[in-house]
Amino acid sequence: MKGLLAKITKTETGHLAEFKRTLRHAPERVWAMLTVNDKLSTWFSELRVEDLREGGTISFDLGDGTFEEMKIIELKPYSVLEYTWGNDRVRFELSPAADGGTMLTLKEFIGEVNAHTPKDLAGWDVCLDVIEALLDERGFGDRKTAWEPKYEAYKRALEA
């Protein structure tokens, strides 16, 4: 299975899932994948940045004509993007890697684990793999085929 599973730890308020990827690309290129709609849509077509600022919004297309609005909690260009994710939060942190690339850390702060949680975690894991493939200008293959074993692994990890 490509990519490492997230490290999942119990916290006082729920759980923290932490994904780390070392990418061979400058923080500016990685940041654009997270914040420029033309690039964001290539790896997460349901998301759209509406207002890129602290207090601004990102919308999630629910596919039925409705949208969920997510609030940007923290924004530090080329470094931090954190926003609400339903009742939870997601946080992307970028830092320079030694080789001129970028260490990308994605944290999902999960208040309550439910049946959908392993689906979300597997989805984020695949999304990070897709970001890396897009930046490397290589194909990725079928996302569902990549997602299924990760979903099963996250289900097992959360049952433990």
Side-chain angles (χ1 to χ4, degrees):
M1 180 177 353
K2 169 106 176 76
L4 302 171
L5 289 177
K7 177 182 174 191
I8 301 170
T9 53
K10 189 147 181 48
T11 66
E12 289 182 14
T13 57
H15 288 80
L16 168 64
E18 187 172 10
F19 303 84
K20 288 187 176 289
R21 295 290 195 283
T22 303
L23 305 172
R24 298 179 309 185
H25 305 277
E28 294 79 9
R29 288 200 59 208
V30 178
W31 182 255
M33 295 298 286
L34 305 175
T35 60
V36 175
N37 285 323
D38 287 348
K39 299 202 180 294
L40 178 60
S41 67
T42 62
W43 65 271
F44 205 137
S45 60
E46 297 85 2
L47 289 184
R48 179 169 181 78
V49 175
E50 302 295 342
D51 185 7
L52 188 62
R53 62 177 176 83
E54 284 187 11
T57 56
I58 296 174
S59 63
F60 186 99
D61 185 344
L62 296 171
D64 60 4
T66 63
F67 296 84
E68 182 173 335
E69 191 173 276
M70 300 175 298
K71 181 83 57 197
I72 298 173
I73 299 165
E74 186 175 354
L75 178 79
K76 293 181 181 162
Y78 312 109
S79 176
V80 175
L81 174 62
E82 182 174 345
Y83 48 90
T84 58
W85 185 258
N87 294 324
D88 301 327
R89 300 184 336 264
V90 294
R91 179 181 178 90
F92 293 90
E93 299 173 350
L94 283 64
S95 58
D99 63 356
T102 302
M103 171 58 74
L104 172 60
T105 303
L106 167 58
K107 297 177 180 178
E108 183 173 1
F109 300 90
I110 304 162
E112 183 179 332
V113 172
N114 57 43
H116 203 268
T117 304
K119 294 177 182 179
D120 273 352
L121 295 177
W124 282 122
D125 208 318
V126 171
C127 282
L128 294 175
D129 292 343
V130 171
I131 289 172
E132 183 175 8
L134 289 167
L135 287 167
D136 289 347
E137 298 179 359
R138 59 180 165 78
F140 183 76
D142 181 51
R143 292 182 191 203
K144 186 167 175 45
T145 301
W147 178 86
E148 287 172 344
K150 291 180 187 232
Y151 167 63
E152 293 299 328
Y154 282 113
K155 268 192 352 189
R156 286 189 303 276
L158 290 167
E159 290 167 357

